[in-house]
Amino acid sequence: MGLDALEYTLVEQFRLTNLKQLEYGKVDISSFKKILTPMIWTSFITGLSPKEHGVTAFYKWDEKWARWLRNFSASIGLGRIKEKGRILEKFGLAHRRIHEDKDLKERGIKTIFDYAEHPIAFSVPSYNEEPSASAFHKTDLLKGYYDGKVTGEEVKKRVWSSFERRKRNLTETLDRDKKWDLLMFYEHGATDLLGHIFRGNLTEMWEIYVQMDLFLKEVKEKIGDETFTLVVSDHGMKPVGRYGVHSSYAFYSSNIPLNLNFPKITDFKDIILEKLRE
Amino acid sequence: MNLLELKLKKSKQVIDEAFSKFEKVATIWDTGKDSTLLLFLTRQTDGNIPVLFSDTTQHFKETYEFRDSLAAKWNLNLINVIPSVSYDEVKEDPKRCCRSLRTLPMAKKIRELGLDAVFVGKRWVEHPKRAQENYFSKRANCYQVHPILHWTEKDVSNFLGSHKISHNALFDKGYERVVCEPCAEPASSKLPERPESQKDKEEVMRRLEALGYW
């Protein structure tokens, strides 16, 4: 279970026994220059550094336009492509999209899902993320909140409605499909987006985290104790006054002993593959 | 299970854990809404739990009336914690006054009773300093246990209302919290539980922008 921005210190402070499982701790993400959601999750599913997997931003420019923009930029002696791309985007001449599995395949990169016989992925970044549930698209909602166009209560309503829909989808899949050997559920809105808005208010955060704790309990009741269950975040969330920004470590927990000591996010790929082989 | 039920369940878990972990426990009650809720919850596990009331001698008469009426109604095992110095001796210095009439006598009483833990009705959103608190917090003399950390002011009022638990009449007169009469402030001076800060907001937006959020 990938819970974006799940903060270690809050799991500890709230004494959330389901999320802690048998073994839990912090995850080392210090090798990442930027603490950025798609980049870190891609490292989790590939076991590679951003330099190796190539996902270094929230979005990917449409290839045709990216090539054209790069050439154009070079031909007129201009520097970075980012800002110019955004200007062209405003005129409908360029567009960005979320990273997809095909981008990794084009580079010959395998993910954990390639090693499973019957994998199921629920909106996993850089693999099959639902556009509406992606971090990239949710930033609009967050900007709307900071600009005062959307209230925190409205954001909460939208996030929980999306979470409930996806939770139902997972429950139905677990009831229907008994063949899967690797399943990854990923949630961004509840833990990351709401964390940016409410991190300074511990009661709000408790309300979010306790829902995640109960969610994991429900899932584990369905899949059984014998199923290896790993909970991972890509980074945490630290308070800045009433709001929140990414903290420089992530979280993991396991229902079986792994005896890890401050593991790197890239270490989990081999652990997952080992469990798949078992 | 709705959110208030979840909060209640968590509070009861913390209370039960404290009772099983510590031999000698008491609850601190200042007649305010938070500590009255806590008193109600702790008494569900132990109806005879010692109830420590800090009698600074300077409370409003409404506070004393509510203390006495609830103590009689619930048959409380009430312990009045009385200071050894008088108000007149310390009134010129508000910090010293609070320390001498409230903090030190309470610490002394906890030592005298040999308590392992006391229940305290703190909540995370009351003050930024309280956001650091844990459910179990080790202090010099004994543990402080905070079972209602995760409740909002509204949760507390809703719970007390739905259980028809009476409250200190000071709240009906516009006071937001129970304080001694000389230090009482008008209700309008109370800070909101979740203050907004434009500076913090700009700082967060700047950091997110640097990550490529927008």
Side-chain angles (χ1 to χ4, degrees), chain A residues 155-169:
Chain A
V155 177
K156 257 168 52 176
K157 206 172 160 187
R158 285 170 67 172
V159 164
W160 287 120
S161 156
S162 159
F163 176 71
E164 287 301 325
R165 176 181 59 78
R166 299 177 61 245
K167 190 173 140 182
R168 266 197 312 276
N169 193 2

Side-chain angles (χ1 to χ4, degrees), chain A residues 92-243:
Chain A
L93 296 171
H95 83 271
R96 292 171 286 166
R97 62 168 172 82
I98 54 176
H99 300 277
E100 295 169 15
D101 182 38
K102 66 179 182 186
D103 303 322
L104 295 173
K105 280 200 163 60
E106 275 174 16
R107 302 186 63 161
I109 294 169
K110 280 186 169 184
T111 70
I112 48 174
F113 304 106
D114 293 313
Y115 296 90
E117 281 179 24
H118 193 73
I120 301 177
F122 281 89
S123 194
V124 173
S126 299
Y127 186 74
N128 66 347
E129 198 172 15
E130 270 180 52
S132 66
S134 73
F136 173 46
H137 285 271
K138 285 220 177 85
T139 55
D140 289 343
L141 193 55
L142 193 57
K143 182 84 163 53
Y145 167 77
Y146 287 129
D147 288 342
K149 292 174 187 159
V150 191
T151 66
E153 289 306 309
E154 284 167 339
V155 177
K156 257 168 52 176
K157 206 172 160 187
R158 285 170 67 172
V159 164
W160 287 120
S161 156
S162 159
F163 176 71
E164 287 301 325
R165 176 181 59 78
R166 299 177 61 245
K167 190 173 140 182
R168 266 197 312 276
N169 193 2
L170 171 66
T171 308
E172 284 165 12
T173 303
L174 287 174
D175 287 339
R176 191 180 57 236
D177 190 339
K178 307 289 178 194
K179 281 199 319 191
W180 61 270
D181 53 352
L182 174 65
L183 185 147
M184 181 170 170
F185 182 90
Y186 167 75
E187 171 61 17
H188 176 269
T191 37
D192 184 278
L193 189 67
L194 295 184
H196 282 302
I197 296 174
F198 295 111
R199 176 61 178 88
N201 182 322
L202 282 195
T203 300
E204 292 278 6
M205 294 308 288
W206 184 89
E207 290 175 4
I208 296 163
Y209 275 50
V210 84
Q211 300 289 352
M212 294 299 116
D213 193 59
L214 290 172
F215 171 52
L216 180 65
K217 186 179 176 217
E218 283 172 38
V219 172
K220 284 176 78 172
E221 281 167 1
K222 280 201 175 291
I223 63 178
D225 285 340
E226 70 282 1
T227 305
F228 170 45
T229 309
L230 184 67
V231 177
V232 181
S233 73
D234 54 340
H235 54 77
M237 187 67 72
K238 63 181 178 184
V240 174
R242 179 185 169 171
Y243 313 101

Side-chain angles (χ1 to χ4, degrees), chain A residues 20-38:
Chain A
K20 284 182 179 180
Q21 302 198 87
L22 182 72
E23 176 181 323
Y24 69 102
K26 286 183 179 176
V27 174
D28 181 4
I29 52 167
S30 60
S31 62
F32 292 85
K33 282 183 188 163
K34 272 187 176 182
I35 302 174
L36 195 60
T37 286

Side-chain angles (χ1 to χ4, degrees), chain B residues 13-23 25 117 119 136 145:
Chain B
Q13 278 172 358
V14 174
I15 290 169
D16 289 346
E17 190 180 334
F19 273 111
S20 65
K21 212 168 175 174
F22 305 112
E23 199 179 327
V25 292
F119 290 107
F136 291 85
V145 185

Side-chain angles (χ1 to χ4, degrees), chain A residues 81-92:
Chain A
I81 199 167
K82 182 179 152 188
E83 294 308 322
K84 289 181 288 295
R86 289 191 176 188
I87 292 165
L88 289 173
E89 188 181 37
K90 282 184 184 167
F91 295 101

Side-chain angles (χ1 to χ4, degrees), chain A residues 13 15 201 207 242, chain B residues 7 10 17 133 194 196:
Chain A
Q13 190 173 13
R15 295 163 70 91
N201 182 322
E207 290 175 4
R242 179 185 169 171
Chain B
K7 290 183 179 184
K10 181 74 177 182
E17 190 180 334
E133 284 291 3
R194 281 182 283 162
E196 282 192 54

Side-chain angles (χ1 to χ4, degrees), chain B residues 42-60:
Chain B
T42 52
R43 288 186 76 257
Q44 288 186 330
T45 304
D46 178 4
N48 199 38
I49 186 171
V51 180
L52 305 178
F53 174 80
S54 186
D55 185 355
T56 62
T57 70
Q58 296 303 306
H59 287 296
F60 281 95

